[in-house]
Amino acid sequence: MARIYIEDLQHHVGEEVKISGWIYNKRSSGKVRFIVVRDGTGILQCVMVKGMISEEAFNSFDTLTQESSLAVTGKIKKDDRAPGGYEMELSKIEIIQIAKDYPITPKEHGVDFLMDIRHLWLRSSRQHAILRVRHQIIKAIREFFDNRGFVLMDAPIFTPAACEGTSTLFETDYFDLGKAFLTQSGQLYGEAGAMAHGKVYVFGPTFRAEKSKTRRHLTEFWMVEPEVAFNDLNDNMELAEEFLEHIVASVLKNRSAELKTLERNISFLEKVKKPLPKISYTEAVEILHKKGINFEWGNDFGGTDETVISEGFDRPVIVHRYPAKVKAFYMKRDPKNADLALAMDVLAPEGYGEIIGGSQREDDYDAIVQRIKEHNLPQSAFEWYLDLRRYGSVPHAGFGLGVERTVGWICGLDHVRETIPFPRMIYRLTP
RNA sequence: UCCGCAGUAGCUCAAUGGUGGAGCAUCCGGCUGUUAACCGGAGGGUUACAAGUUCGAGUCUUGUCUGCGGAGCCA
């Protein structure tokens, strides 16, 4: 008997097939018994009637518990009463292992309890749907850049110094070379890649030792960072909006069932099309003032400020040209106003906040040396980076997209901890 | 790091300072189409920990621990 997957059932109606999986739930009304099996690709209701199947198989129902592993064999038929629309008439049950007291019951649970058994929580339908959307997003990210001739360039995880100098870094001993730090961004290495390949993207985990304790922060998260030689700020914004359009379209097309499981209102997602609204930092400050918020020009936006700004738009909004003093040393100044950096952030709608941060990079050697001094960074650590300005420096730009925040936004989740299989947070290192 | 909230059965939650309960899960029984099935029964407690106030503390006070939410910082 060939083993098939539940997601392929529609091709096997009327056939006798075998499904291997786990008990999701079971119900009985005496002589008619239902076993709901999940196999990782979907769920299937199996039915057996007393007298229509061996007495042994019929009675084995009593020993089955939630999440016990087994193989079921039977004929597939269409039945609207069954979840998913297909049902199996059981002819054989092969028990692999009986699970005892599975902790996640078909009722409500608290977050702490579920996070402690995250390795089991992954089996639950919502978590299952979220991780499939995450996979689709990552697939779409790679597709987008690969189809445009970008070269994937992996950046190191161990780094000798801070990329931006602002955030706290995780530190570790590195043999006789002193301290190494876990990367907080692959960008500087991406810039080196862009000078070699023209257009590259760095995709990997990044680490921030900030003691942030909010629904938008993890200590370990994934970031994708394209970097393109000869792009300016406008090119960068255009790349970002086409990128977001592609990701959202890919999820809507391929993961609509998962979005439905998550009860995601997709009307906001359907509006994510180029062009996205673009406003300057100064215009964003005016929006805050009009809404009666006391905000001083020159400061960086907080989480609630971002929410208020994005509330006025029905799709992601790009905010550009921030005050240089709140941004990183490597961002190029606006030639029209030296107080501004050629920076851009993309704020997701519905209060999800910043999902992209990027800029045109400073390409002038003297200017960037000056910035390194102003930021009190050790120039010696950046000598290799300064070489990129010594040898054939060109205008270039790039951005970073936070995968978890993007997954959270597209899935409509209220916390990024559910967007990654095993989240790392300030007070959680296990499982 | 700071501010706020919480911790009671395996889980989710009740309990006016006066004998700690319910639903789910588990176990036993019933039901020929169930949909987080339903119905009947049983077992299950150092009320996070420590001290204090009181005739009496799950409840009030202090401290500790853990978690949640927020701020700052950021993707």
Side-chain angles (χ1 to χ4, degrees), chain A residues 11-46:
Chain A
H11 306 304
H12 298 276
V13 175
E15 295 174 25
E16 175 124 334
V17 300
K18 178 174 177 176
I19 302 276
S20 293
W22 299 264
I23 304 275
Y24 191 68
N25 202 354
K26 65 174 193 176
R27 294 181 281 270
S28 168
S29 75
K31 304 288 195 303
V32 182
R33 296 178 167 182
F34 303 90
I35 303 171
V36 181
V37 174
R38 63 169 192 88
D39 74 344
T41 74
I43 65 167
L44 171 65
Q45 174 166 286
C46 306

Side-chain angles (χ1 to χ4, degrees), chain A residues 100 108 287 347:
Chain A
K100 189 162 165 40
E108 290 156 21
I287 289 174
L347 308 182

Side-chain angles (χ1 to χ4, degrees), chain A residues 150 187 191 194-195 198 200 225-237 239 342 344 358-361 394-399:
Chain A
F150 282 64
Q187 182 205 309
E191 289 184 51
M195 299 308 139
V200 300
E225 300 175 283
E227 192 71 34
V228 183
F230 304 105
N231 263 13
D232 63 14
L233 181 65
N234 286 335
D235 299 325
N236 207 32
M237 292 195 280
L239 184 67
L342 294 175
M344 52 162 269
S359 69
Q360 183 173 337
R361 319 306 188 187
V394 298
H396 60 291
F399 59 81

Side-chain angles (χ1 to χ4, degrees), chain A residues 233-283:
Chain A
L233 181 65
N234 286 335
D235 299 325
N236 207 32
M237 292 195 280
E238 194 176 333
L239 184 67
E241 62 190 355
E242 289 172 4
F243 181 48
L244 285 178
E245 179 177 339
H246 177 80
I247 291 171
V248 171
S250 176
V251 173
L252 286 173
K253 183 182 172 196
N254 298 293
R255 294 295 174 199
S256 60
E258 283 78 5
L259 292 176
K260 197 173 174 187
T261 297
L262 295 168
E263 296 173 311
R264 179 67 164 117
N265 178 350
I266 60 171
S267 63
F268 274 103
L269 300 178
E270 285 167 338
K271 289 174 183 158
V272 182
K273 303 255 194 239
K274 185 186 169 187
L276 299 178
K278 300 178 188 69
I279 60 172
S280 69
Y281 167 88
T282 302
E283 288 167 327

